[in-house]
Amino acid sequence: MLFRGWGDATDGPWPDVATVVDHVGVGHLVVTRHALVRQVLADPATFRPDNALDAVTPIPVAALRVLAGHRFRLPPTLANNSGASHPEIRGIVADALHPDRVAAQRPWLTGLVRERVARLRAALDAGVPVDLYAGLAADLPLLVLARLVELPDAPVGAVKEFARAALELFWAPLDEHRQRALAAEVGRFHRVLRAFAATGGGLAARLRAAGHSPDVVVGALFFLLVAGQETTSQFLTLLLHRLAGEPEVRAGLRDGSVSVADVVEEGLRLEPPIVTWRRVAAVDTTLGGTAVPAGTSVVLWLARAGRDPAVVPQPAAFAPGQRGSRRHLAFGAGAHRCVGAQLARLEAAVVVAEAAPLLDGVRVVRPPWCPDNLTFRMPDAFVVAPEERRRA
């Protein structure tokens, strides 16, 4: 069954290509092998991205009316755009997230992370449990993104609630009551985005100056706020949780025998926040010897591809620097590869360098819990407490 067991099934036996039925009876072709996943991502003519943002639980009329009341629209802009406008829109967004502009954020980001780590350390030293998601990772990527694309000073909590509501509305198994509630929340924030898109500076102004419609500007901002920051806060939480159970890796970080960059890449391989991504077959074709009729929903299991023994010698081990570790597909591949990859890497590198020492001498009280979702992990907390000897 789609949605459930992604984590438990990552290392189990799976064919290269398998048909899986979801919660509403729709069949999907799940692709598990690294080479085949990459093949699909690299061929947007045969496997189009048009369904990337389609709701996996069909939205009922009542919820659609709620969205329509807020004039909610998501035209093809980035992830779901197979048209001629994609290269230009992507180019404008990529310029806002240029590696040089991203690198310039490092001193500010490092200072902010150090302040937060100091507060968390003080609490642990006082014997108080801390939530590394809420206290460190949750809003950090949003604050960095806001500086790069010049977002308005919207309340951080409201943006986070909107982003998580959108991830649930479009990618989770839901009942109608929950869909209506989420539609209202997403619609309300979409209205705020639409007002900003009409007059805001930074990225919004550059998209307008290039002649793109208000809906396209809103669509680009919508996707950045949902995928451009929420996925990174998820990854930071998942990576810290993984490091909590890897004392040898933390020791290597301390003595310099393990590099921060290698830890980040191995984390992306083993703990990607985006578990799957979707494509739709544009024509009749084959994949790994399996017939794929036009119109087939293709689910690319990115997390499974990262554990392909054809790519890495130790698929299930957290072994920073191992051969093939950097060949993961956590950021996708091809024309729609994540435009914020360098930004996510920077944020993760700073957090690992500054926060990994917090994990020495602690025990996990509350590991991250992730709800059922086709694509996103969405951890809700990560609570650690000092071990008895540390308190003593």
Side-chain angles (χ1 to χ4, degrees):
M1 173 70 74
L2 238 57
F3 305 111
R4 294 175 173 82
W6 289 121
D8 294 340
T10 302
D11 296 320
W14 272 80
D16 295 354
V17 179
T19 298
V20 179
V21 177
D22 69 16
H23 63 304
V24 293
V26 175
H28 305 265
L29 204 65
V30 177
V31 184
T32 68
R33 298 290 292 191
H34 182 281
L36 294 177
V37 171
R38 189 174 186 86
Q39 176 186 331
V40 171
L41 291 171
D43 186 1
T46 304
F47 300 99
R48 295 166 66 96
D50 302 18
N51 64 338
L53 306 186
D54 290 354
V56 295
T57 301
I59 299 179
V61 172
L64 288 173
R65 286 175 178 157
V66 172
L67 291 173
H70 291 283
R71 294 168 52 201
F72 179 91
R73 290 185 290 273
L74 272 185
T77 51
L78 291 169
N80 63 338
N81 190 352
S82 60
S85 65
H86 176 255
E88 182 180 71
I89 297 171
R90 178 183 171 86
I92 294 171
V93 175
D95 186 61
L97 303 179
H98 190 278
D100 291 343
R101 300 190 75 228
V102 168
Q105 301 301 314
R106 182 183 285 270
W108 170 83
L109 177 61
T110 300
L112 178 59
V113 172
R114 283 178 179 170
E115 290 176 7
R116 294 184 173 192
V117 168
R119 288 197 296 269
L120 293 165
R121 183 182 299 280
L124 288 169
D125 288 344
V128 178
V130 297
D131 185 345
L132 297 182
Y133 170 73
L136 175 60
D139 65 342
L140 197 67
L142 175 59
L143 297 175
V144 183
L145 184 66
R147 289 166 64 92
L148 288 167
V149 303
E150 300 176 45
L151 293 173
D153 294 328
V156 169
V159 177
K160 296 297 293 185
E161 289 174 6
F162 148 73
R164 292 178 73 88
L167 294 183
E168 187 179 352
L169 178 61
F170 290 102
W171 285 279
L174 300 168
D175 59 36
E176 185 170 340
H177 177 75
R178 182 61 177 162
Q179 286 173 303
R180 289 199 303 271
L182 291 169
E185 186 168 350
V186 170
R188 282 193 298 270
F189 197 85
H190 190 272
R191 188 185 294 269
V192 174
L193 277 183
R194 195 165 60 248
F196 171 69
T199 59
L203 177 61
R206 288 190 286 274
L207 287 166
R208 289 198 310 270
H212 294 289
S213 70
D215 282 347
V216 167
V217 179
V218 173
L221 293 171
F222 181 95
F223 187 73
L224 280 176
L225 286 174
V226 171
Q229 59 85 24
E230 186 62 31
T231 52
T232 306
S233 67
Q234 293 172 20
F235 174 57
L236 297 178
T237 306
L238 296 165
L239 179 56
L240 287 172
H241 177 242
R242 183 71 190 227
L243 282 174
E246 300 287 348
E248 292 183 4
V249 174
R250 298 200 310 273
L253 286 168
R254 285 195 302 273
D255 65 25
S257 61
V258 173
S259 79
V260 169
D262 284 342
V263 167
V264 171
E265 297 305 320
E266 190 72 338
L268 287 164
R269 182 182 74 81
L270 280 173
E271 301 290 349
I274 299 178
V275 182
T276 68
W277 204 242
R278 281 178 293 167
R279 290 289 186 265
V280 60
V283 295
D284 293 341
T285 186
T286 60
L287 190 60
T290 298
V292 184
T296 298
S297 167
V298 180
V299 176
L300 307 172
W301 196 350
L302 305 180
R304 175 83 180 193
R307 297 174 181 238
D308 191 331
V311 177
V312 287
Q314 301 179 74
F318 194 91
Q322 70 166 308
R323 176 178 52 81
S325 177
R326 292 171 181 257
R327 291 178 59 195
H328 62 78
L329 298 171
F331 296 120
H336 287 82
R337 186 177 185 276
C338 176
V339 73
Q342 289 304 108
L343 176 58
R345 284 186 166 112
L346 170 70
E347 292 165 344
V350 171
V351 166
V352 168
E354 301 295 332
L358 284 175
L359 301 172
D360 296 329
V362 302
R363 56 190 173 88
V364 176
V365 175
R366 167 78 154 69
W369 174 81
C370 302
D372 290 336
N373 194 289
L374 173 64
T375 291
F376 298 94
R377 302 272 302 272
M378 297 178 64
D380 62 336
F382 174 35
V383 181
V384 297
E387 294 177 342
E388 292 296 329
R389 63 177 180 273
R390 178 168 179 166
R391 290 205 300 271

